[in-house]
Amino acid sequence: PHIGAPAVRVWVILPLVGFDLFRPRRPVWARPAAGADSAPVFTFSTGGASASARETEDRFVVLAGSTGKTATSGTFQAGYRALRERLLADGSLVSGASSELLTFASDVVFASPSAAAAIVAGRSASGPIEWKITETGQAYRDWRAATLE
């Protein structure tokens, strides 16, 4: 028998369900690491906003030129609201082509695909389901599960 095998499975599954408490913390606005170009491009569109992203070193990077909605809904959590304000203040997120859109002026690193999706959508969002690989339409959640197998 494999002593400790269930514990290993927990370590692998926790990030899939949004629990990344065992990962070292980096600021969500940190720059992406070199080599990020090898991951597939994920896209997410909602209400006129359209964003592209890649995963690098277990972080989720929304790419410069992506857009997000200016308006927010009642489901937009206070933590995400504060993060959006920081991104606006530091110039990472700027006014877009229309008053309804914001534009990512630079690549922005997020702690999770859900945090990235929430900033793009201006509402709570299930990033693992809503981000899809551009070419295949495969959800981030399914891609991530396949890469961990």
Side-chain angles (χ1 to χ4, degrees), residues 61-111:
V61 182
V62 175
L63 304 176
S66 295
T67 59
K69 291 177 64 177
T70 302
T72 60
S73 77
T75 66
F76 196 56
Q77 299 172 5
Y80 292 145
R81 193 174 305 279
L83 173 56
R84 180 183 265 198
E85 292 303 319
R86 282 196 305 265
L87 294 172
L88 287 163
D90 76 10
S92 297
L93 201 54
V94 297
S95 296
S98 76
S99 62
E100 297 164 359
L101 296 175
L102 298 169
T103 300
F104 286 81
S106 61
D107 291 355
V108 177
V109 176
F110 291 90

